[in-house]
Amino acid sequence: MKKYIIFVVGVVCALLSQNVYAEDLRGTDANIIGHVIEKNTGEHLPYMTVALKGTTIGTMTDASGHYFLKNLPEGEFTLYVSAVGYKSQERKVMLKRGKTLEENFELEEDMVALDGVVVTANRNETARRLAPTLVKVVTPKLFDMTNSHTLSQGLVFQPGVRVENDCQNCGYSQVRINGMDGKYTQILIDSRPIFSALAGVYGLEQIPANMIERVEVVRGGGSALFGSSAIAGTVNIITKEPIRNSGSFAHSISNFNGSGSFDNNTTLNLSLVSSDNKMGAYVYGQNRYRSAWDSNGDGFSELPKLKNQTVGVNAYYRTSPYSKLSLEYHHMEEFRRGGNRFDLPPHIAEDADLNGSGEPGLVEQIRHSINTGGLKFSAFSKDQKHTFNVYASAQHIERDSYYSAYGTTTDFTGVLGAQYIYHLDKFLFMPSDLTGGVEFNHDDLHDRGTDIQKYRDKALTEDPTATGERLQQLIDKYTPDPLKQIVNISSAYLQNEWKNEQWSFLIGGRVDKNSIMDKAIFSPRANVRYNPTQDVNIRFSYAEGFRAPQAFDEDLHISNVGGELISIVRSPKLKEERSRSVNASVDWYHYFGDFQANLLVEGFFTKLSDPFVLTAPVEDPNGSGYLIQTRINGSGAKVYGGTLEGKIAWRNKIQLQAGLTVQRSLYDSPEEWSADKEHLSDAERYSDKILRTPDFYGYFTATYTPTKALSLALNGNYTGRMYVPHLMSEVDGTADLLVKSPDFFELGAKVAYDVDFSGICLQFNVGVQNIFNSYQNDFDKGANRDSGYIYGPGAPRSYFAGVKLSF
């Protein structure tokens, strides 16, 4: 791995030293001055982004709405002005030595985000309206109005996206897109597949909202250009960059349903930019402490205790007007513990003879230390036809865990890649962008049990007289096999997109060679966009993908049922899973005077061949005491449905957005969900439904801003009925149940008021989440519970209050 890192760093250094695209601009005296105002009111707009396309040159309007770009390169360029909540504008400018241009702009409000820039559609910055694939965007404003402190909390306010809690002990959650498991979703950080399988277990809850500039969500496999796991879709986390000298400090406190359990969250942000805008750094931090919460009064938690700390920096250095070096790094520390007797060490809390209660306890405890970072060099040609990126990203995780026994896990993931984009004025019949790239992904994971005393005690329980070789054999029997997995993936991709204002045709594909597979896999994609008018977008996409038979997130997450541990193993005959996805959508925008409206209708269909399924848990035939689930290939599956989403806004006063997804998720042939042959017939133990997937789910958000200082927000989330397995045979010896859960509707409200002090803003906010306490009411009790029997909202009714200082 080191030689690849050295190679990429060498390439970057060579590019910098040769200063390929550099140009001495200190004496050009080619300048642009101007201001940006709001079209209807004539008010000057501060902090609007002003940039020259095809270069790294840009600035922001100051507090008075004016800007100044100086010593610019000569030639014809496109001057671009944009900001969240406004329609972007661009115009051609001719820059000449010793000449100063005055370029003023009038921006209109865009409350439905039609003209925002996205990168996930085609690995290149594209106006959302012209993107070949439908891209939905989660903004910091949504995180703020819904009081979402982490990525997992804010993602639920998107159509076709659902975040569910899958463990009553440790709070393991996953994001489902179009009804498919989280394993089918590609998680990216700044467009890089650096989010490892191990990080995926708790990673969505670990990423703080204050490090996020936006989240781009692509539903369906039309984003297969980013990797094989993008079967259900892609979640691309774009981190914040420094844009102006500013900062903020915020603290909020939440209480769970009037109990003694609280969730405290503190964030700090600082953005620094040099006077010539040549370099900048954005520094952020978060500290979160959540006490455990017991829903049913049995002394065992339904929400685990959490301690999270995150610090990070996102910095850039413009090496020339046409090149830029970017750095992103963040460090996370997390502790989580679920179960009972939080005042005792885990092994003592579980032991009925030591914990003081005379009853067995239950503990799941995890500590994470995560370092993630990336380096990227971007360069543009002077004629704006060539774009080149080279990047290196890495993530290192250390995890100490307790699942009835102590263990440790380390994981290193590294990604190296290069991408080239060539813009053709005309290729065959239309202007086009040709994109190609190569990528190398390395993952080195080690997981092992370290609780030798625990395994020795189990051995002596079986044979109290065992000594010597016999004792060691018994200890080996109860010691889980260590997992050592090294996976190397070499990839290459190529696509061409023909596009103009009315049409877009994209054809491309990606080849992946996984080291644990004998053959390379080719995944094609095709997209068509048609705009019969400027306000109507019609899109169609087709893509294929695959998942390799390697360790995924839940393989390293151990569940607990009936006081026994469930571990997952892979069948030696397991082969790759293949997918074919089709998506079609119509996106309509319209303006009715001061009203803006958007209506989206989308349909999706995904066919899975040889899907990964888990057998029902059975006792380990090797006598380890674990329950074992085996990952095998199923007969096939299909997921299909539709999404309806609408937005309406009246100026910047009132905004309403809502979405509903209707879907079906079915296996071609029934798959086994229970091994309870004593109580259930063969027909009852099998189901053709993909479990934990509701047929209906949706959301809404609404804001009202009667004055500039006061804002009122409502949000809601609906989860329909779904089938959830309840392994009662392991809990109390009765028959396993396939429970059809009730439906849930969460309603939240927030009120915020801003007080301005000459450039400093102090905000106070209060609110309630899950107002009607729509929460599961049939949790298992005690140490013998089925921790996987959990569904519905991730938290009960919560009252919160906060304060934020911005400058």
Side-chain angles (χ1 to χ4, degrees):
M1 186 63 187
K2 291 182 179 179
K3 64 181 181 181
Y4 292 103
I5 297 176
I6 293 172
F7 171 75
V8 171
V9 172
V11 171
V12 172
C13 292
L15 289 170
L16 292 175
S17 62
Q18 295 174 18
N19 212 9
V20 177
Y21 300 108
E23 175 180 358
D24 185 7
L25 304 176
R26 287 173 293 181
T28 66
D29 198 27
N31 310 312
I32 303 177
I33 62 172
H35 65 241
V36 181
I37 63 174
E38 208 280 325
K39 183 176 182 179
N40 294 320
T41 65
E43 294 182 358
H44 283 83
L45 297 175
Y47 314 128
M48 303 287 109
T49 300
V50 184
L52 287 182
K53 276 190 172 183
T55 74
T56 63
I57 299 171
T59 187
M60 298 195 77
T61 59
D62 58 22
S64 68
H66 292 78
Y67 72 94
F68 180 29
L69 294 170
K70 61 182 179 180
N71 287 326
L72 302 174
E74 294 184 86
E76 185 180 55
F77 294 89
T78 299
L79 186 63
Y80 181 81
V81 180
S82 64
V84 175
Y86 292 90
K87 291 183 181 180
S88 58
Q89 282 191 24
E90 60 181 52
R91 65 181 62 157
K92 296 289 186 180
V93 292
M94 180 61 71
L95 299 176
K96 297 181 180 180
R97 182 177 295 270
K99 297 286 187 178
T100 297
L101 303 178
E102 181 175 355
E103 300 291 341
N104 300 317
F105 292 86
E106 295 182 349
L107 298 189
E108 294 182 83
E109 289 180 333
D110 176 24
M111 306 312 297
V112 295
L114 172 63
D115 285 333
V117 173
V118 295
V119 297
T120 313
N122 55 8
R123 298 189 76 120
N124 190 17
E125 288 192 353
T126 305
R128 180 173 170 269
R129 181 173 58 86
L130 301 178
T133 300
L134 182 66
V135 181
K136 305 300 293 183
V137 179
V138 183
T139 64
K141 182 179 179 180
L142 187 141
F143 284 107
D144 183 64
M145 65 186 286
T146 58
N147 200 48
S148 299
H149 303 301
T150 66
L151 174 63
S152 62
Q153 292 173 320
L155 273 181
V156 299
F157 300 101
Q158 286 292 296
V161 179
R162 194 171 67 84
V163 177
E164 70 175 24
N165 192 334
D166 287 334
C167 181
Q168 193 178 353
N169 294 333
C170 65
Y172 159 52
S173 62
Q174 62 173 312
V175 57
R176 288 177 178 262
I177 296 181
N178 287 353
M180 287 185 275
D181 282 350
K183 306 174 291 295
Y184 294 91
T185 298
Q186 181 80 61
I187 307 294
L188 308 171
I189 297 181
D190 289 327
S191 303
R192 313 294 173 225
I194 199 63
F195 215 70
S196 74
L198 180 60
V201 179
Y202 306 104
L204 297 179
E205 195 172 8
Q206 291 169 339
I207 294 182
N210 69 312
M211 71 176 278
I212 298 173
E213 171 61 30
R214 66 183 186 275
V215 181
E216 298 180 4
V217 180
V218 177
R219 300 189 296 270
S223 57
L225 195 67
F226 284 99
S228 60
S229 295
I231 292 174
T234 298
V235 175
N236 192 3
I237 305 159
I238 308 298
T239 58
K240 286 186 176 180
E241 289 190 353
I243 52 177
R244 62 184 178 91
N245 292 326
S246 60
S248 66
F249 172 85
H251 179 78
S252 70
I253 182 171
S254 300
N255 174 262
F256 296 132
N257 204 28
S259 68
S261 296
F262 292 87
D263 190 348
N264 283 274
N265 189 76
T266 304
T267 61
L268 176 66
N269 301 278
L270 185 63
S271 177
L272 300 172
V273 179
S274 63
S275 58
D276 58 2
N277 206 32
K278 191 173 184 179
M279 64 182 69
Y282 181 85
V283 182
Y284 55 87
Q286 182 202 45
N287 184 76
R288 183 186 182 193
Y289 176 83
R290 185 182 75 188
S291 51
W293 186 72
D294 177 11
S295 172
N296 52 18
D298 66 343
F300 293 79
S301 65
E302 271 63 60
L303 291 179
K305 179 180 180 179
L306 281 179
K307 293 181 181 179
N308 296 89
Q309 296 85 36
T310 302
V311 293
V313 61
N314 204 339
Y316 70 83
Y317 176 71
R318 304 186 193 277
T319 55
S320 81
Y322 301 99
S323 58
K324 182 173 74 170
L325 186 65
S326 303
L327 169 70
E328 193 279 329
Y329 168 78
H330 62 269
H331 174 76
M332 297 179 181
E333 292 284 340
E334 183 197 61
F335 169 87
R336 64 172 63 215
R337 174 170 170 171
N340 71 328
R341 295 305 306 267
F342 292 86
D343 57 324
L344 297 175
H347 63 284
I348 294 179
E350 279 197 340
D351 195 316
D353 297 327
L354 299 177
N355 62 22
S357 68
E359 299 290 337
L362 173 66
V363 174
E364 288 189 17
Q365 178 175 296
I366 309 101
R367 292 181 183 271
H368 287 103
S369 180
I370 305 175
N371 289 285
T372 306
L375 188 67
K376 174 185 174 183
F377 178 74
S378 303
F380 306 89
S381 65
K382 294 180 182 180
D383 61 6
Q384 303 177 44
K385 290 185 177 295
H386 307 270
T387 303
F388 176 71
N389 297 311
V390 60
Y391 53 87
S393 299
Q395 182 181 77
H396 183 264
I397 303 175
E398 292 184 354
R399 183 179 80 165
D400 295 320
S401 58
Y402 183 86
Y403 295 103
S404 189
Y406 291 99
T408 184
T409 310
T410 60
D411 187 22
F412 174 80
T413 301
V415 177
L416 299 174
Q419 176 178 290
Y420 170 72
I421 302 172
Y422 178 56
H423 176 72
L424 296 93
D425 294 330
K426 186 176 182 180
F427 177 46
L428 298 180
F429 55 89
M430 194 181 295
S432 74
D433 289 329
L434 178 67
T435 302
V438 293
E439 202 164 70
F440 176 77
N441 188 299
H442 171 83
D443 186 78
D444 187 348
L445 186 145
H446 297 266
D447 180 73
R448 63 187 179 92
T450 60
D451 201 340
I452 302 301
Q453 185 60 47
K454 187 86 172 186
Y455 309 131
R456 180 185 179 90
D457 290 344
K458 287 186 176 181
L460 291 175
T461 299
E462 178 175 336
D463 185 357
T465 64
T467 59
E469 184 176 345
R470 168 62 176 164
L471 178 59
Q472 187 60 51
Q473 289 176 345
L474 291 175
I475 292 175
D476 292 342
K477 170 184 174 181
Y478 287 102
T479 302
D481 292 334
L483 173 63
K484 296 182 179 180
Q485 179 177 268
I486 297 177
V487 178
N488 294 315
I489 305 174
S490 300
S491 308
Y493 55 88
L494 182 68
Q495 72 173 25
N496 192 73
E497 182 186 1
W498 292 268
K499 63 180 180 180
N500 57 27
E501 288 287 330
Q502 189 174 31
W503 287 96
S504 173
F505 303 95
L506 186 150
I507 298 177
R510 178 183 175 107
V511 177
D512 293 277
K513 177 58 177 73
N514 193 303
S515 60
I516 65 176
M517 298 174 60
D518 295 331
K519 59 183 179 180
I521 301 293
F522 175 67
S523 302
R525 68 175 293 200
N527 301 80
V528 177
R529 170 187 57 83
Y530 172 53
N531 289 38
T533 70
Q534 188 174 10
D535 295 334
V536 177
N537 289 4
I538 301 174
R539 294 182 173 93
F540 176 85
S541 67
Y542 172 81
E544 296 181 13
F546 79 100
R547 292 173 58 212
Q550 65 189 68
F552 291 96
D553 49 13
E554 77 279 19
D555 293 1
L556 297 171
H557 169 260
I558 302 175
S559 300
N560 187 293
V561 55
E564 300 292 337
L565 297 175
I566 297 180
S567 184
I568 296 174
V569 299
R570 296 181 300 281
S571 167
K573 298 180 180 180
L574 189 68
K575 59 182 179 179
E576 75 272 9
E577 175 181 8
R578 304 298 296 268
S579 71
R580 294 175 175 85
S581 300
V582 176
N583 288 66
S585 66
V586 178
D587 210 1
W588 174 74
Y589 297 86
H590 197 70
Y591 294 84
F592 305 91
D594 289 337
F595 287 88
Q596 300 179 43
N598 170 223
L599 182 65
L600 167 69
V601 180
E602 181 186 22
F604 56 87
F605 179 89
T606 298
K607 174 65 177 176
L608 302 176
S609 301
D610 299 312
F612 297 157
V613 298
L614 292 174
T615 63
V618 297
E619 291 187 5
D620 184 2
N622 297 323
S624 69
Y626 281 66
L627 295 174
I628 299 296
Q629 286 185 282
T630 304
R631 185 180 305 285
I632 62 174
N633 292 110
S635 59
K638 52 183 173 292
V639 178
Y640 59 92
T643 291
L644 178 66
E645 184 185 29
K647 299 180 185 177
I648 188 167
W650 179 64
R651 303 183 66 178
N652 60 355
K653 298 293 185 181
I654 298 176
Q655 299 176 54
L656 174 65
Q657 179 174 329
L660 176 68
T661 299
V662 181
Q663 68 168 57
R664 295 296 301 277
S665 304
L666 300 170
Y667 292 114
D668 294 345
S669 299
E671 299 289 346
E672 184 183 24
W673 66 271
S674 169
D676 185 9
K677 297 181 180 180
E678 179 181 353
H679 302 97
L680 302 178
S681 66
D682 288 346
E684 291 172 323
R685 294 188 302 105
Y686 286 76
S687 174
D688 64 348
K689 298 177 177 62
I690 297 179
L691 304 182
R692 306 184 66 90
T693 302
D695 291 342
F696 300 91
Y697 53 99
Y699 78 99
F700 87 90
T701 60
T703 58
Y704 174 48
T705 311
T707 66
K708 188 176 181 180
L710 178 65
S711 63
L712 311 173
L714 286 175
N715 62 80
N717 197 273
Y718 173 76
T719 303
R721 305 184 70 184
M722 58 184 169
Y723 286 96
V724 182
H726 196 177
L727 305 181
M728 298 299 296
S729 62
E730 301 293 340
V731 175
D732 60 12
T734 59
D736 286 350
L737 298 173
L738 195 56
V739 178
K740 191 168 187 180
S741 69
D743 57 354
F744 294 91
F745 178 70
E746 302 171 77
L747 179 66
K750 179 178 180 180
V751 179
Y753 188 78
D754 295 340
V755 182
D756 286 321
F757 302 98
S758 301
I760 298 177
C761 179
L762 180 63
Q763 181 190 94
F764 300 94
N765 60 78
V766 295
V768 185
Q769 292 173 310
N770 200 354
I771 292 174
F772 300 121
N773 199 28
S774 182
Y775 196 63
Q776 183 175 344
N777 59 10
D778 64 341
F779 287 112
D780 280 350
K781 294 185 178 182
N784 290 333
R785 65 189 183 180
D786 177 3
S787 66
Y789 181 61
I790 183 171
Y791 54 84
R797 180 191 295 120
S798 304
Y799 307 93
F800 66 86
V803 61
K804 181 178 181 180
L805 182 67
S806 304
F807 54 91

